[in-house]
Amino acid sequence: MNTRLEGKRALVTGGNSGIGAAIALGLADAGAKVAINYASHPEAADELVQTIKQKHGEAISIHADVSEPNAVGELFRQLDVAMGGIDILINNAGIDGASALGWEADIAAWRKVIEVNLFGAFYCAREALKRMVPQRSGVVLSTTSVHEEIAWSGYSAYTASKAAVSMLTKTLAQEAAPHGVRVLAVGPGAIKTPINRAVWSDPKSLQDLLEKIPLHRIGAPEEIAQMVVVLVSDVASYVTGRTIFVDGGMTDYPAFAHGG
Ligand code: BGC
């Protein structure tokens, strides 16, 4: 089994925090050259670049708001100059937005979630596939969520965006497969990152969350990263068009462990 990624050029969007940062480190540890994209907090991106370089890896950081198509074009131009192209795209940048019931939601805030999570993933996949299809190799992997399947009150934009990225993944996979390019997704459950700090740092909310997870613990970002490394490597050469959930069983309907 070989999960080494030597010689591969990877881009991780939203790669300076949470799951994205763990994926960037995981890809670099596996031997890939990594471009860490960020929209805010350049210092976190630079710190990660230094960490990778200290371990004798290759990394750069590139600023771009992926919800802006022109910025995504510029991001890929910079990537072409720095790395000469791309072999692995990790579409990871995402936001969940403020909690609001659908009929109370602010339209601009709702739209922003879709623009980052769905449009951003599409703009980046589009640029990546333009390069991967002619070279007849490459992998596009998007980070979705258990909430591509599980409804979540207060987060209609987030759930809709993740379900949409799931179908985008399946369709792009169908289009790219004849060209030797794989397109797939990883669906994290509750992973300990800044996005859900308010939940895991409050004992009552944490208890409520743990009841929704059969393995009864929150996941670590590294548990997503290690699966991503496997999925983008040749070990997963026959896997495309699917979301692989890494969720401690959250999508296994734990409420049905009793009754029914
Ligand atoms: C969200 C987290 C949440 C988890 C499980 C993720 O997609 O970003 O905030 O804890 O789903 O509900």
Side-chain angles (χ1 to χ4, degrees):
M1 185 162 117
N2 186 1
T3 55
R4 298 299 301 167
L5 300 172
E6 262 89 21
K8 303 286 183 198
R9 302 154 298 179
L11 167 64
V12 184
T13 67
N16 62 338
S17 150
I19 290 173
I23 293 174
L25 280 174
L27 294 174
D29 283 344
K33 296 179 197 170
V34 184
I36 295 161
N37 155 257
Y38 63 95
S40 58
H41 299 291
E43 69 293 344
D46 290 342
E47 202 178 305
L48 210 52
V49 167
Q50 289 317 318
T51 305
I52 291 171
K53 285 186 172 166
Q54 272 156 20
K55 294 200 268 180
H56 308 291
E58 280 186 54
I60 55 168
S61 63
I62 309 179
H63 174 264
D65 174 349
V66 296
S67 70
E68 296 291 339
N70 292 337
V72 171
E74 182 51 32
L75 164 64
F76 277 79
R77 271 189 292 279
Q78 287 188 40
L79 193 68
D80 286 342
V81 171
M83 291 188 174
I86 182 167
D87 302 292
I88 298 165
L89 167 65
I90 309 294
N91 259 331
N92 169 81
I95 55 174
D96 55 5
S99 175
L101 297 171
W103 56 94
E104 292 168 352
D106 174 73
I107 287 181
W110 207 94
R111 182 193 295 269
K112 189 68 196 170
V113 174
I114 302 288
E115 282 178 349
V116 173
N117 297 5
L118 174 60
F119 287 28
F122 173 66
Y123 299 148
C124 291
R126 179 174 170 275
E127 290 292 340
L129 289 170
K130 268 190 206 177
R131 290 157 173 81
M132 291 174 181
V133 165
Q135 75 192 14
R136 296 197 64 81
S137 72
V139 184
V140 173
L141 183 145
S142 298
T143 310
T144 63
S145 164
V146 290
H147 297 298
E148 71 165 69
E149 246 180 39
I150 304 176
W152 192 16
S153 292
Y155 294 94
S156 57
Y158 184 75
T159 56
S161 74
K162 295 298 184 179
V165 172
S166 165
M167 192 47 91
L168 176 69
T169 297
K170 291 180 188 176
T171 301
L172 294 180
Q174 211 178 62
E175 294 174 359
H179 305 280
V181 176
R182 298 189 292 119
V183 185
L184 71 168
V186 70
I191 307 299
K192 195 171 185 179
T193 70
I195 208 173
N196 53 6
R197 187 188 305 275
V199 177
W200 51 258
S201 57
D202 171 62
K204 242 181 111 194
S205 311
L206 176 63
Q207 194 47 42
D208 177 74
L209 177 60
L210 293 180
E211 277 160 28
K212 297 176 166 71
I213 310 169
L215 289 183
H216 217 71
R217 66 177 177 82
I218 295 203
E222 293 71 29
E223 291 180 288
I224 303 300
Q226 64 202 26
M227 180 55 86
V228 167
V229 169
V230 169
L231 288 173
V232 301
S233 77
D234 287 343
V235 170
S237 51
Y238 207 48
V239 183
T240 195
R242 278 288 146 196
T243 296
I244 314 301
F245 289 104
V246 183
D247 66 352
M250 208 176 214
T251 43
D252 198 24
Y253 293 92
F256 278 85
H258 318 279

